C-alpha cells in the first residue's frame, strides 16, 4: 500500500472524517476563532484568580502573557502536580527559548492527540495570533475547569441549597436543575427534533432536552458558542435563575455566616449595602480568606453562569478543607 504523503494529510483526513463527530468537532472549534475575547472573559478572570502571573491579566495583555510559555506551564503544574517538567527556560527572552517552553507545554496539553486540526502551534502563540490563542484559551479552560464544573454543578448547588433552606431562602428550582441555562429555545428545538411544549409525548420532550443539554455541555467551545448565539438572537433577554439567586451576594454571605467566617453584625451590615459595596465586601472577604476571586463585579463575567459556579466551587472547597 502506498504511504500517504504528509502534504496531503489534511485533505485525506477530512475525507475520512467528514461524516464523523470529529468533523463536527473541527467545525465547532474553528467557529470559536471568531469570538471576541470579551465573550470568554471568565477565562481571564479564572487565570487571575489562580495568581499565576505577577501582573494582572486583561484582554489586552493576555497574548503577551502566554508568549513565553510560563503561564501555561504553571497552569499544568497547578492542575497536574504529578507531571514532571524538565528543561524549562526560566527567562525565555529569546524566541528559541520561548518556543521550547511552549513546545513542552503543548506536548503535555495535547498529549498523543491525533486530531491535529485542534492543535494550536507554539509559533501561533509566540506570534500572538489572537484567533488561535482564543482557541487555546477555550481548550485550556475546558480541559482544566469546565469538564469538572459540568460534573459537580448539581451536587455543588445542592450543598448550598441545604444550608440556604435553613434560612428560608432556597435556590430557585431552575438554578438546581439547569444551572448553565441551556434550555433549548426557538429554532434550537428544531435542530435537535424537540417537540413543542404542547406535545402529547412529554417523555420525548424531556428526553430531547436532556440530549440537547449533553450536546451543548460536552465542551466549553460548544457551550460558549451557544451562549454567544443565544444572546445575539433571542429577543427575550431573561436573566438566568442562577444569576438572580446570587447577584446580590446575600446567599453567599449567609454561607459564610453559617460556617462562622462573618458575624451576625457583619451579615446585617452587608445586607444593607448597595450592590457595588456588597461586591467590595465580598472581594475583601475572599481576599482575607485567601479564596480565589472570580467574580470581579456585579455584572459578572461572560458566560456569567460559569463565573458564578466557579466562584461557588472555590468557596465550597475552602470551607470543606478547613
Amino acid at each position: 500500500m502506498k504511504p500517504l504523503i504528509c502534504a496531503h494529510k489534511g485533505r485525506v483526513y477530512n475525507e475520512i472524517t467528514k461524516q464523523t463527530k470529529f468533523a463536527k468537532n473541527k467545525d465547532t472549534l474553528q467557529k470559536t476563532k471568531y469570538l471576541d475575547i470579551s465573550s470568554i472573559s471568565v477565562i481571564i478572570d479564572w487565570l487571575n484568580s489562580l495568581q499565576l502571573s505577577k501582573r494582572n491579566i486583561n484582554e489586552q495583555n493576555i497574548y503577551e502573557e502566554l508568549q513565553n510559555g510560563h503561564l501555561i506551564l504553571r497552569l499544568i503544574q497547578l492542575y497536574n502536580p504529578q507531571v514532571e517538567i524538565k528543561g524549562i527556560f526560566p527567562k525565555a527572552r529569546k524566541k528559541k527559548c520561548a518556543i521550547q517552553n511552549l513546545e513542552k507545554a503543548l506536548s503535555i496539553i495535547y498529549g498523543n492527540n491525533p486530531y491535529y486540526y485542534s492543535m494550536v502551534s507554539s509559533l501561533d502563540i509566540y506570534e500572538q495570533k489572537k484567533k488561535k490563542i482564543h482557541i487555546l484559551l477555550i481548550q485550556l479552560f475546558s480541559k482544566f475547569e469546565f469538564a469538572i464544573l459540568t460534573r459537580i454543578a448539581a451536587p455543588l448547588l445542592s450543598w448550598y441549597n441545604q444550608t440556604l433552606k435553613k434560612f428560608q431562602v432556597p435556590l430557585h428550582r431552575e438554578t438546581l436543575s439547569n444551572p448553565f441555562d441551556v434550555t433549548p429555545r426557538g429554532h434550537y428545538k428544531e435542530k435537535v427534533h424537540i417537540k413543542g411544549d404542547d406535545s402529547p409525548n412529554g417523555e420525548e420532550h424531556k428526553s430531547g432536552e436532556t440530549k440537547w443539554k449533553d450536546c451543548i455541555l460536552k465542551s466549553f467551545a460548544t457551550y460558549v458558542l451557544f451562549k454567544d448565539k443565544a444572546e445575539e438572537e433571542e429577543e427575550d433577554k431573561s436573566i438566568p435563575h442562577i444569576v438572580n439567586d446570587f447577584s446580590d451576594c446575600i446567599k453567599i454571605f449567609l454561607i459564610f455566616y453559617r460556617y462562622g467566617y462573618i458575624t451576625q453584625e457583619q451579615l446585617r451590615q452587608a445586607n444593607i449595602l448597595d450592590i457595588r459595596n456588597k461586591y467590595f465586601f465580598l472581594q475583601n472577604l475572599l481576599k482575607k480568606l485567601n479564596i480565589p476571586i472570580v467574580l470581579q463585579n456585579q455584572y459578572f463575567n461572560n458566560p456569567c453562569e460559569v463565573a458564578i459556579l466557579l466562584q461557588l466551587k472555590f468557596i465550597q472547597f475552602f470551607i470543606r478543607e478547613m
Side-chain angles (χ1 to χ4, degrees), residues 37 40 43-44 46-47 57-59 62-63 66 71-72 75 110 120 125 130-144 220:
I37 189 67
I40 52 173
I43 299 179
I44 294 176
W46 165 61
L47 292 173
I57 302 171
N58 56 45
E59 295 178 5
I62 179 66
Y63 311 102
L66 293 168
L71 184 63
I72 306 174
L75 192 63
Y110 292 126
V120 177
I125 302 169
K130 293 185 177 182
K131 291 179 180 179
K132 286 286 190 177
I133 288 175
H134 293 175
I135 289 179
L136 176 69
L137 289 171
I138 287 170
Q139 289 174 326
L140 291 174
F141 187 73
S142 191
K143 179 182 180 69
F144 291 123
F220 189 62

Side-chain angles (χ1 to χ4, degrees), residues 34-283:
Y34 303 103
L35 290 173
D36 188 85
I37 189 67
S38 62
S39 296
I40 52 173
S41 62
V42 69
I43 299 179
I44 294 176
D45 293 312
W46 165 61
L47 292 173
N48 277 323
S49 75
L50 302 176
Q51 299 181 338
L52 298 175
S53 176
K54 292 181 179 179
R55 62 175 179 168
N56 188 62
I57 302 171
N58 56 45
E59 295 178 5
Q60 286 71 46
N61 67 19
I62 179 66
Y63 311 102
E64 183 184 350
E65 282 291 311
L66 293 168
Q67 192 177 35
N68 61 15
H70 289 160
L71 184 63
I72 306 174
L73 288 166
R74 292 189 194 109
L75 192 63
I76 293 169
Q77 290 175 324
L78 179 65
Y79 281 87
N80 295 320
Q82 74 281 3
V83 175
E84 189 176 358
I85 305 174
K86 296 181 179 179
I88 300 303
F89 290 95
K91 294 184 179 179
R93 293 194 180 99
K94 294 183 179 180
K95 178 179 178 179
K96 182 180 179 180
C97 299
I99 290 291
Q100 182 166 322
N101 284 352
L102 288 166
E103 289 287 350
K104 183 76 69 173
L106 294 177
S107 68
I108 298 170
I109 294 294
Y110 292 126
N112 296 318
N113 180 5
Y115 310 115
Y116 72 96
Y117 68 79
S118 69
M119 298 183 189
V120 177
S121 74
S122 56
L123 199 59
D124 290 333
I125 302 169
Y126 183 80
E127 293 179 351
Q128 300 184 34
K129 294 181 179 178
K130 293 185 177 182
K131 291 179 180 179
K132 286 286 190 177
I133 288 175
H134 293 175
I135 289 179
L136 176 69
L137 289 171
I138 287 170
Q139 289 174 326
L140 291 174
F141 187 73
S142 191
K143 179 182 180 69
F144 291 123
E145 276 296 351
F146 190 70
I148 296 173
L149 283 180
T150 54
R151 188 174 68 250
I152 70 166
L156 173 69
L157 291 169
S158 178
W159 180 84
Y160 276 87
N161 197 42
Q162 289 302 313
T163 296
L164 293 171
K165 283 194 293 187
K166 296 175 182 177
F167 294 100
Q168 284 78 51
V169 284
L171 296 176
H172 194 280
R173 184 176 60 182
E174 276 292 312
T175 298
L176 296 168
S177 63
N178 187 23
F180 292 93
D181 190 37
V182 292
T183 303
R185 299 181 292 271
H187 70 280
Y188 294 118
K189 289 185 177 182
E190 298 175 8
K191 287 188 176 183
V192 288
H193 309 292
I194 295 177
K195 294 186 177 181
D197 293 333
D198 57 345
S199 168
N201 193 339
E203 286 300 317
E204 183 179 344
H205 179 78
K206 187 175 180 180
S207 174
E209 286 204 3
T210 301
K211 289 179 181 178
W212 171 255
K213 288 181 182 180
D214 291 343
C215 179
I216 294 300
L217 296 176
K218 69 179 180 180
S219 74
F220 189 62
T222 53
Y223 177 69
V224 77
L225 284 171
F226 166 74
K227 296 300 291 185
D228 194 69
K229 192 172 184 66
E231 183 178 339
E232 179 183 309
E233 294 185 357
E234 287 295 322
E235 294 181 4
D236 178 19
K237 301 289 184 180
S238 57
I239 299 173
H241 290 285
I242 193 171
V243 176
N244 283 327
D245 269 327
F246 291 100
S247 60
D248 64 358
C249 301
I250 296 301
K251 288 184 171 68
I252 296 177
F253 295 149
L254 286 170
I255 295 296
F256 281 120
Y257 170 68
R258 163 65 179 81
Y259 288 95
Y261 293 103
I262 60 174
T263 65
Q264 188 173 13
E265 178 59 22
Q266 286 175 314
L267 177 64
R268 189 187 68 80
Q269 289 293 331
N271 200 25
I272 61 177
L273 294 173
D274 60 36
I275 186 64
R276 187 166 179 266
N277 284 312
K278 278 185 173 72
Y279 270 82
F280 282 137
F281 182 84
L282 176 62
Q283 288 187 340

